[in-house]
Amino acid sequence: MFSICFSERMVLVSIFKGAILGLFQGLAEFLPISSSGHLNLMQALFGLNLDHQLLFNILLHVGTLIAVMVVFWKDWIDMLLHPIKNRTLLLLFIASLPALFAKLLFDKQLDYLETSISLLGVFFLITGLMLILTQIISRRNQQKGVEKDKVGFLEALVMGCLQAVGMLPGISRSGSTIFGGVSSRLSRESAAKFSFMMSAPAIVGSLLVEGKDALESGITLGNDLPAIIVGMVVAAISGYLAIRFFLKLISKVSLNWFALYVTLLGLLVIILQLTGVLSAQPAAPAAVASLASVFPC
């Protein structure tokens, strides 16, 4: 009786963790606050890991990929049906090259940084700085009347280089690419839309790499299957809402609010690290046990 009860608790706990991680992945992937940084922080503070974390990460990416495909389905169909007339597909390929080269050249270093929180606070502060600069440059471009709405090869390449920088946890991929687009004199709306579409090939690339690792290590599901499915669905729904929300508000709301949030978060992370509250090691199993108490028999 007790073993069954405990097993049910652990399944509910894993579903709860899956939903939380899926929510953070979906929202933070498209809002300029860094999904990888938030996931690393949640895992370090509360031990929000699953037994099959690699497979879970893959399907979280599937969830956010579904969100991008649904929001921009008309654009995807048009670019696939008219690859010559519509240059978006070519521009997305160009924008993906810098991140690909960075992964090939600095694979081990990036793998370490992607799972380490030693520089997480600093990277959050860098995101805040980029968002402030984006707001300043955007306002200046508007005043000078030099803003443009069409993405070209130069803009795609610049945004691609900033996407490579956004591979670091704590540095927002969407925030850094929008900064690159606005620095190239794109309007914030055009930069945001192209940034979100850029995430599709980046997510597919991540799926291929992580999928290969999962196949090599052997894929098993066990009791984590419900949590994995819930996390993927939550990531897809929250990602869809985040894209819709941000595209509507980006021309009306100052990015300084997002900058303030990640700056305060970065400072908090640094303080927690200096005081020893936050370490590079995940939270102790006791944290997971405390979550289990939320779901009594």
Side-chain angles (χ1 to χ4, degrees):
M1 177 69 177
F2 175 78
S3 61
I4 295 176
C5 178
F6 182 77
S7 177
E8 290 175 349
R9 280 186 180 182
M10 295 311 296
V11 170
L12 289 174
V13 168
S14 67
I15 291 175
F16 175 76
K17 291 191 289 184
I20 293 295
L21 292 175
L23 180 65
F24 273 102
Q25 171 68 23
L27 292 178
E29 175 70 27
F30 302 109
L31 297 180
I33 56 176
S34 178
S35 61
S36 59
H38 278 77
L39 291 178
N40 285 5
L41 183 58
M42 291 297 100
Q43 290 165 355
L45 282 175
F46 306 114
L48 292 181
N49 289 292
L50 299 176
D51 292 336
H52 307 91
Q53 190 66 39
L54 180 57
L55 179 61
F56 181 67
N57 290 343
I58 293 173
L59 294 183
L60 279 186
H61 287 139
V62 171
T64 49
L65 180 61
I66 291 172
V68 175
M69 301 305 292
V70 170
V71 173
F72 301 113
W73 68 272
K74 291 182 179 179
D75 298 272
W76 294 115
I77 291 176
D78 185 67
M79 73 175 70
L80 291 174
L81 293 178
H82 309 96
I84 304 300
K85 182 180 178 181
N86 189 331
R87 298 190 306 170
T88 307
L89 201 59
L90 176 60
L91 293 173
L92 290 174
F93 172 75
I94 292 173
S96 302
L97 292 178
L100 175 61
F101 290 146
K103 185 65 176 176
L104 292 174
L105 292 174
F106 306 106
D107 184 38
K108 292 183 179 180
Q109 294 88 338
L110 286 172
D111 283 344
Y112 169 76
L113 289 173
E114 284 171 3
T115 56
S116 172
I117 62 168
S118 56
L119 295 174
L120 188 57
V122 175
F123 288 155
F124 275 130
L125 294 180
I126 292 175
T127 293
L129 176 61
M130 285 195 293
L131 293 176
I132 292 173
L133 291 175
T134 301
Q135 185 69 26
I136 294 173
I137 296 171
S138 174
R139 187 183 301 114
R140 186 171 300 171
N141 289 343
Q142 289 176 347
Q143 292 172 349
K144 292 182 178 181
V146 296
E147 272 193 339
K148 47 190 175 182
D149 297 321
K150 190 174 182 180
V151 180
F153 292 106
L154 176 61
E155 293 79 16
L157 184 59
V158 172
M159 293 180 71
C161 291
L162 269 296
Q163 180 169 248
V165 176
M167 295 169 68
L168 300 172
I171 296 184
S172 167
R173 191 207 62 82
S174 61
S176 61
T177 51
I178 292 172
F179 167 66
V182 169
S183 299
S184 304
R185 297 185 177 180
L186 283 175
S187 66
R188 283 195 288 174
E189 298 91 328
S190 299
K193 180 178 179 180
F194 191 73
S195 168
F196 294 151
M197 296 185 76
M198 282 173 61
S199 69
I203 292 172
V204 170
S206 178
L207 286 175
L208 294 175
V209 173
E210 293 181 352
K212 177 177 174 293
D213 293 340
L215 288 174
E216 290 177 350
S217 60
I219 298 177
T220 55
L221 296 177
N223 293 332
D224 276 345
L225 179 59
I228 290 171
I229 294 175
V230 168
M232 181 180 68
V233 172
V234 171
I237 295 173
S238 59
Y240 174 87
L241 295 175
I243 294 174
R244 289 294 192 191
F245 170 80
F246 196 64
L247 286 177
K248 286 184 178 180
L249 291 186
I250 189 169
S251 61
K252 303 174 184 177
V253 176
S254 173
L255 293 177
N256 289 339
W257 291 108
F258 293 103
L260 176 62
Y261 168 74
V262 292
T263 299
L264 292 177
L265 183 60
L267 292 174
L268 177 61
V269 169
I270 292 174
I271 292 172
L272 292 177
Q273 288 175 327
L274 292 176
T275 55
V277 175
L278 185 62
S279 68
Q281 300 299 322
V288 179
S290 65
L291 282 175
S293 64
V294 176
F295 305 101
C297 295

